[in-house]
Amino acid sequence: MKEFLQKLFEGTSFEKGEMKAAVNLLLQEETSESEVASFLTALKMKGETVKEITGLVELLRERADFQAAPVENVMDICGTGGDGSQSFNISTTTAFVLAGAGVKVAKHGNRSVSSRTGSSDVLDHLGVGLDFTSSEVNEMLEMNGLAFLYAPNVHTRLKKIMKVRGELKVPTIFNMIGPLTNPINIDTQLLGIYRRDMLGTMALVLNELGRKRAVVLNGAGYMDEASLAGENHLVLLENGKTSRLIIHPDEAGLPVYSNDTIRGGDALKNAEILLEVLKGKEGPYLDTVIFNAGIALFANGRTTTVAEGVKLARESIQSGAAYEKLQQTVEYSQRSRKKVM
C-alpha cells in the first residue's frame, strides 16, 4: 500500500490493473483505516481518471457477494450523493414512476451517507425489504419490473471502507461509484453526479462498463439530480459516443422552483413525500420527479426527447401505475418475510 500511496502523492495516475490491485489491498484486513483514508484523500486531490474509476468498479463487482442472473433491458437511476442539497429521495420515487411506465428498474441504493435520509431508510419505512436474495431480485424484475438492491448486502467486504468514508465527512471516489457497482448487468442508466467537471469522465466510464445508452447529469445548483431551479447539464452516451446537452425545465413544459422547495427530512417525512408524489399531489416534489423520470425515459431510449419522457412520466402517475408498483413491491416484501418466518 505504501507504494500506491507514494504514486498518488506524486500525482501519478494508475492504469486499470494497478487500480484493481490497489483496491484489492484496501479490502484486506491488514490494511489500516488510516491507510484507507490516505488513499481516498490522495486520490481525490489528484483527480480520479476513467481508468481508475473503471478499475475500482470492476473489482468491486467481481468481489460482490450478490450475483444475479442476467436480465435483459434493465435500467438503474441513482444520484451519487455529496451535493449537500438535503433534497427528498428523488431517484427512489422516480424508480416507481419508471416501472409504471414499463421500464425494468434495478435500483442500487444505500442508507444515508452524505444526506439526511438514504433510499434504503425510506424503503424500509414503507415496508420494502432490504435483504432480498439474488433469486428474489430476479423474480421481482420479471414479475414487477422493479427491484431494489441494498448495497451493504451486495458488498459486504466494504464495511471498513464505508466506515472511513463516513468519518471523512467529505465526498470521495465512493460517492461517484456507488450507482455503478450494481451487480445486475445494466443496459441503460441515468446517473446524477454532484461534480459538473466529471460529467464527461463518468460518461466514458459508463461506456467502459458496457452501457448501451446513458445520461450523466448535474442539475441546477450543482445537484446530483435534475433540478427545476434552472439549467441542467447533461452528457448523453449513445453507441459509444458522447454529446453534451443543457436542458431547462421550460423546455419540458415544467415550472421553475427553487431547490429549497424540495428539501426533505427524516425517513418518515420523505416516505410521506414519496406517497404524495405517487398519488399525484401537485407541487415542486411532483414536478421534480416528473422531470427526472422524463430524462430517465430519454436516457433509456423509451422516448426520443425529454419532453416526451415528461408526458409519459405524468401518465404513469395519473393512471395509478406508479403507485401500483409501490404496492406490489411492498406486497412482495411481506410475502418474502413470511417465507423466512
Side-chain angles (χ1 to χ4, degrees), residues 103-211:
V103 175
K104 281 186 181 178
V105 182
K107 182 154 178 13
H108 191 237
N110 206 339
R111 292 197 185 275
S112 175
V113 176
S114 61
S115 61
R116 185 171 176 183
T117 306
S119 64
S120 294
D121 300 296
V122 172
L123 292 170
D124 190 27
H125 187 82
L126 290 168
V128 177
L130 303 177
D131 54 356
F132 295 117
T133 65
S134 57
S135 61
E136 286 174 330
V137 168
N138 288 324
E139 189 175 44
M140 290 176 72
L141 283 172
E142 293 298 340
M143 290 174 52
N144 195 28
L146 176 64
F148 293 92
L149 296 92
Y150 182 40
N153 292 341
V154 175
H155 305 288
T156 59
R157 295 175 178 86
L158 290 180
K159 288 180 181 178
K160 177 173 59 179
I161 292 177
M162 301 319 287
K163 178 176 181 289
V164 171
R165 176 189 168 193
E167 290 173 350
L168 283 174
K169 303 295 184 186
V170 294
T172 68
I173 190 172
F174 278 88
N175 284 85
M176 292 189 288
I177 60 92
L180 308 182
T181 57
N182 194 326
I184 303 289
N185 287 321
I186 302 301
D187 296 297
T188 60
Q189 186 159 5
L190 174 60
L191 172 63
I193 63 174
Y194 67 96
R195 287 179 57 183
R196 193 166 293 175
D197 63 312
M198 293 292 287
L199 286 171
T201 297
M202 296 304 285
L204 293 175
V205 171
L206 290 176
N207 184 53
E208 290 290 320
L209 295 174
R211 303 296 188 267

Side-chain angles (χ1 to χ4, degrees), residues 7-125:
K7 280 193 171 185
L8 287 177
F9 295 150
E10 294 170 355
T12 304
S13 295
F14 298 135
E15 293 296 320
K16 188 168 73 171
E18 288 180 298
M19 187 64 178
K20 283 187 171 184
V23 176
N24 190 49
L25 276 178
L26 289 180
L27 298 177
Q28 303 306 312
E29 287 185 15
E30 55 268 26
T31 302
S32 67
E33 291 183 6
S34 61
E35 287 177 311
V36 173
S38 295
F39 185 91
L40 296 180
T41 304
L43 186 64
K44 177 182 176 65
M45 292 178 68
K46 178 191 71 66
E48 303 89 345
T49 67
V50 171
K51 290 179 180 179
E52 289 167 346
I53 299 170
T54 304
L56 171 58
V57 171
E58 288 184 356
L59 189 279
L60 294 182
R61 293 187 78 235
E62 289 167 9
R63 300 287 299 276
D65 300 88
F66 187 110
Q67 299 295 336
V71 182
E72 292 185 358
N73 270 335
V74 181
M75 181 176 199
D76 194 358
I77 168 172
C78 194
T80 58
D83 64 6
S85 67
Q86 301 297 310
S87 61
F88 74 107
N89 299 93
I90 297 170
S91 60
T92 303
T93 312
T94 302
F96 292 105
V97 180
L98 293 175
V103 175
K104 281 186 181 178
V105 182
K107 182 154 178 13
H108 191 237
N110 206 339
R111 292 197 185 275
S112 175
V113 176
S114 61
S115 61
R116 185 171 176 183
T117 306
S119 64
S120 294
D121 300 296
V122 172
L123 292 170
D124 190 27
H125 187 82

